[in-house]
Amino acid sequence: MTFTPHGKHLVAGNWVASDNKFQSEPAHGPAHDFGVGTPALVDQAVRAAEAAFESYSALTRAARAAFLDAIADEIEARAAEITEIGTQESGLPVARLEGERGRTTGQLRLFARHIEAGDYLDRRFDAALPDRKPLPRPELRMMQLPIGPVAVFGASNFPLAFSTAGGDTASALAAGCPVVVKGHSAHPGTAEIVAEAVLAAIRRCDLHPGVFSLIQGGRRDVGQALVQHPLIRAVGFTGSLGGGRALFDLCAARPDPIPFFGELGSVNPMFILPHALGARGAAVAAGWAGSLTMGAGQYCTNPGVAVVIAGDAADAFEAAAKAEVGKVGAQTMLTDGIAQAYRAGRDRIAASKGVREVLTTTCDLRNATPYLYSTTGQDWLANEALGEEVFGPLGLIVHAKDADEMAALARSLHGQLTCTLHLDAEDTALGQRLMPTLMRKAGRVLTNGFSTGVEVADSMVHGGPYPASTNFGATSVGTLSIRRWLRPVCLQNVPQALLPADLAGQ
């Protein structure tokens, strides 16, 4: 069955049309018209979210878990239609969309089980000490409470897992916070059908309809109106550094500043240590080529930089990487704008002082072909722009002159989502030297693997120091991400009859 979008916004349980339209730009298949969002629609959606907050936040954890499970059920009931329109709009292959749908429903169910367990509440209790000298201690109880309505911006590169009902939305709803989503114009049809699934779950669970709204498209004024609305309490964002920083600044400039949790990407450098490079450089090159070009390089964890120590083994690695990357043909990028930005990034790297071409190709329109470049550690250290992300299948190999320069390169890094060490047992001493720096620079440190892809699990951290993300203490993936939408409250000498249900009897 084919899904045909109606092009409306979902506001407090109603599908609402708007006068101005924009047309989707699918990689293949039919284009559709969608309503352009407005600040007035944002205001309606946010006010409905505030109206829903009291009843939704007061639900039992079991009831909220049932709602999350219901959303997952409704998404799965629309699986074929979601895959069809998702592949049309994004150009991503069917297998990728099916896997991403599984991740989306999986994290909804993961958060359902997480809140049922209750550990996220971080409940603490200090008994009263009336006889303590010189002063008695009152009875103290603490727990985490939801903060209020949350704004979520859909991501271009993950139409499902980081968008309408993705990780930000799932974790906020799990916390007890209503959500207003600004859909990404790259995949509005996908956003609409997922919003239909959420609405079906709202009705199935008999919830206040303001618990979820979707505002499609729109110009900058829609995003600005959303993050500056006085009833919004926090913002989740996955996207570009420029766009994220602009929204972050708006949140900070509010009369009542609110947290902006932006995941902005990074170059995710790999450090290939000497013995590993000599013993299995070709294998590492092959793995890197696959990771670098996966999904046309459109992953925020794409490992765009490989650091090696100059010498014959480094030259062999470079040759092997060229051969492997050269096997990859043109791939469709998510949008025309992303494809244009990729070519601009390629031109910036190619024109940088000290950068040498290793593999050049030709790409145009919405296609991306891979590129490889090489530079020295000295030139890298002299040019901060080489450490800026190029969103696409472009790799840069940095030849450090020795271990000291490799360590200096690590220290020069800005904040990263990931850093990777490829090492053998004989590289342990250098690995021990680099690890403290890499842990300081990144939210996730890997050894002998490739960073593309993020496991949704309790221990995962998808975030890092700026500019990888705007809040180094948070993650946008994994169960810890729920903490973004909670705040601790201490209750002192409060009688049992007045305690929240989750504290009563504690």
Side-chain angles (χ1 to χ4, degrees), residues 179-273:
V179 173
V180 178
V181 173
K182 181 186 179 296
H184 199 288
S185 58
H187 42 76
T190 310
E192 182 182 303
I193 191 171
V194 173
E196 286 191 352
V198 179
L199 178 58
I202 290 171
R203 291 171 174 168
R204 177 171 148 187
C205 297
D206 195 25
L207 302 180
H208 190 297
V211 74
F212 174 88
S213 292
L214 166 70
I215 307 299
Q216 292 277 26
R219 296 172 295 275
R220 291 184 178 180
D221 60 344
V222 174
Q224 291 173 356
L226 187 53
V227 302
Q228 291 186 306
H229 198 289
L231 297 177
I232 288 292
R233 294 292 88 204
V235 179
F237 174 89
T238 297
S240 69
L241 174 59
R245 182 55 196 253
L247 293 172
F248 173 85
D249 290 344
L250 288 174
C251 289
R254 287 171 44 134
D256 57 334
I258 58 173
F260 177 86
F261 298 101
E263 189 271 284
L264 310 179
S266 61
V267 297
N268 305 296
M270 305 188 311
F271 291 79
I272 309 169
L273 304 195

Side-chain angles (χ1 to χ4, degrees), residues 23-235:
Q23 192 171 72
S24 62
E25 299 178 352
H28 57 85
H32 301 281
D33 291 332
F34 294 87
V36 174
T38 65
L41 286 170
V42 168
D43 182 63
Q44 292 176 35
V46 176
R47 290 185 183 279
E50 175 66 21
F53 178 66
E54 182 175 351
S55 61
Y56 184 66
S57 63
L59 288 178
T60 65
R61 289 180 279 117
R64 288 207 306 276
F67 176 44
L68 296 175
D69 284 330
I71 297 173
D73 291 343
E74 296 292 344
I75 289 174
E76 289 169 349
R78 295 161 176 77
E81 294 93 334
I82 289 172
T83 298
E84 180 183 34
I85 195 163
T87 55
Q88 288 176 354
E89 291 185 325
S90 67
L92 295 171
V94 169
R96 159 69 192 274
L97 261 295
E98 290 178 342
E100 190 180 331
R101 189 186 68 247
R103 170 176 167 175
T104 304
T105 57
Q107 61 194 8
L108 283 161
R109 298 190 192 283
L110 175 67
F111 277 110
R113 307 291 81 76
H114 184 64
I115 61 175
E116 282 179 333
D119 294 344
Y120 78 100
L121 294 168
D122 194 16
R123 290 171 286 199
R124 305 184 185 198
F125 173 64
D126 290 296
L129 298 176
D131 298 324
R132 190 183 68 176
K133 304 297 182 182
L135 295 172
R137 183 177 76 185
E139 179 185 86
L140 302 172
R141 301 174 190 269
M142 188 274 279
M143 68 178 292
Q144 302 283 342
L145 293 175
I147 57 174
V150 167
V152 170
F153 285 71
S156 64
N157 59 334
F158 281 87
L160 299 173
F162 275 95
S163 291
T164 311
D168 287 347
T169 298
S171 57
L173 292 175
C177 298
V179 173
V180 178
V181 173
K182 181 186 179 296
H184 199 288
S185 58
H187 42 76
T190 310
E192 182 182 303
I193 191 171
V194 173
E196 286 191 352
V198 179
L199 178 58
I202 290 171
R203 291 171 174 168
R204 177 171 148 187
C205 297
D206 195 25
L207 302 180
H208 190 297
V211 74
F212 174 88
S213 292
L214 166 70
I215 307 299
Q216 292 277 26
R219 296 172 295 275
R220 291 184 178 180
D221 60 344
V222 174
Q224 291 173 356
L226 187 53
V227 302
Q228 291 186 306
H229 198 289
L231 297 177
I232 288 292
R233 294 292 88 204
V235 179

Side-chain angles (χ1 to χ4, degrees), residues 79 117 327 371 411 444:
K327 298 174 183 177
Y371 292 84
R411 291 193 298 272
R444 176 164 58 112

Side-chain angles (χ1 to χ4, degrees), residues 312-323:
D312 292 342
D315 294 340
F317 169 81
E318 187 173 291
K322 177 180 179 180

Side-chain angles (χ1 to χ4, degrees), residues 440-456:
R440 185 178 182 185
K441 297 292 183 177
R444 176 164 58 112
V445 179
L446 304 79
T447 62
N448 296 330
F450 298 95
S451 54
T452 306
V454 180
E455 184 69 30
V456 181

